[in-house]
Amino acid sequence: MTDLPGAGVSAPVSSSPVAQLSLRRNIVYAMVGRGYYAITQFLIIAITARLGSVSDVGALTLATALVTPLFFFTSMGAKTVMTVDDFDRFTRADYVGLRFAGGLIALVASMLTVALIYPDRGWLVIASVAGVALVRFFGAQAALNQAIFQRAERLDYVAASIFTRATAGLAAFALAFWWSRDLPLALFCEAALWFASYWLVDTRLLARLGMEIPLAILRQTTLRRIWALTLWVLPMGFALWLMRAVGSIPPVMLEHYAGLGAVGLFGALAYAHTLMSMVSNAMAGAAAARLRRCAREGRMAAFQSLTRKMMLFSGGLGLGALAVAWVIGAPLLGLVFGPDYADRELFTVIVGASGLALVAATLNTAITALHAFGWRVAVAGASFLAGLAVALALVPTHGALGGGVAFLASSAVSLVMSWGACRLLISRAKRV
């Protein structure tokens, strides 16, 4: 693709007056921020399980399973691609426009989806979908700001943004749910506080980098440029949709075959994957810009070394979590969620699958840094098909455990495919 007119409207973040941090400090800040966010989202699940019913947890899990893939698709991986973009074709304004327009489309698509698929599920499911969609919309806008902070190699700004938003959202959800026992109302309150923290904190952090606030920068782009960016990153958007859809297969099928109670059990235990992936992805996000710089400069030995270190960290995290799940999984689940959730076998399968997925995600970060978006689609597509096939075979007869095995199968395929793709791409890059 040739350079488009106006590509120099928004200067790269590296020209900001704020000094960069070292990679080690950035990784620490990223892990602290994402780890804290994971804890707050885990507490939302725990609060819902303790103060509400298994059906409440099921409704929250089902809503998340429906909404999240839509937002991942319509965002087109804007955050991920922007972090590794050389800014020689598109500008920050183009990415902001894509993320904002995509968020609005995902909001509408979420409500249409629940209206078409679950018209008879009542207020709990429909309103929960609306609440989760609003939370995801404001989160999507904040995520693009975090990409700007990552490009500037200021992950302390990312941590500050996450800490404020996660704390405010958790407090709003907990107070509203404790007072009303109404899940949709609690989600709407969480969304309102996410918007407030986005406006009050992120805009000030952007100002420190010499950036305009997101709504103001929209005047620097056009629909033509946003569409051109959309076509470029479409493979990444499709890959991310497939990747998130893999996690949505078990809840959607469980709701059909076993009801919201089974969805609630699976969703509570599957949040272990969310906790683990947020910590691992924080490290990958902090290193993404550095990986792209190595690839652009032809320093493939450094590229391989950093990728290998991330893989070892993710693999170690997965093995440690697997040991915890097997040894003390049942009492831990009973303590946190209640006796209805103390299923060690299912928990161990989910955590084992998550460990494989973490290593695969690290390799996918390397593939993205090499701008091989087509390979991301191939990996995600194979993983999706594997998960779908196993879920169709096992969920009707084995319930939640069948869903866990489907997640394990998709994670294994993703790891094998991403490892092969990464080796091939690095080998090609060395020959150039």
Side-chain angles (χ1 to χ4, degrees), residues 244-260:
R244 297 304 302 185
V246 166
S248 299
I249 292 171
V252 171
M253 292 192 65
L254 282 169
E255 194 280 334
H256 178 73
Y257 287 104
L260 282 179

Side-chain angles (χ1 to χ4, degrees), residues 69-236:
L70 291 173
F71 273 89
F72 266 78
F73 180 70
T74 59
S75 71
M76 297 292 167
K79 174 189 174 183
T80 303
V81 177
M82 183 181 181
T83 303
V84 299
D85 192 356
D86 298 329
F87 271 0
D88 56 355
R89 286 173 286 186
F90 301 102
T91 70
R92 185 168 62 94
D94 302 327
Y95 281 95
V96 172
L98 173 60
R99 197 70 186 244
F100 184 74
L104 292 177
I105 293 172
L107 273 174
V108 175
S110 296
M111 299 315 302
L112 289 176
T113 299
V114 72
L116 292 174
I117 299 179
Y118 301 107
D120 57 345
R121 291 302 190 271
W123 166 258
L124 179 61
V125 171
I126 295 175
S128 295
V129 167
V132 171
L134 281 174
V135 171
R136 290 289 182 269
F137 175 79
F138 295 124
Q141 312 316 310
L144 197 63
N145 292 340
Q146 292 169 22
I148 296 171
F149 304 149
Q150 287 177 5
R151 285 186 62 89
E153 297 196 32
R154 291 303 304 253
L155 275 294
D156 53 335
Y157 286 8
V158 173
S161 172
I162 290 174
F163 182 84
T164 306
R165 178 162 49 95
T167 302
L170 173 62
F173 181 94
L175 289 173
F177 196 65
W178 170 78
W179 174 73
S180 68
R181 299 298 196 274
D182 188 317
L183 177 63
L185 175 62
L187 289 169
F188 290 140
C189 291
E190 180 187 6
L193 267 292
W194 273 35
F195 170 73
S197 61
Y198 166 84
W199 191 258
L200 295 174
V201 176
D202 282 25
T203 52
R204 285 164 173 76
L205 293 174
L206 288 170
R208 293 183 186 180
L209 294 174
M211 301 290 178
E212 292 182 79
I213 62 174
L215 291 180
I217 201 176
L218 284 175
R219 66 176 180 270
Q220 298 179 5
T221 188
T222 64
L223 290 176
R224 174 177 171 269
R225 291 184 54 78
I226 293 173
W227 178 245
L229 175 59
T230 300
L231 294 179
W232 184 52
V233 300
L234 183 61
M236 178 62 71

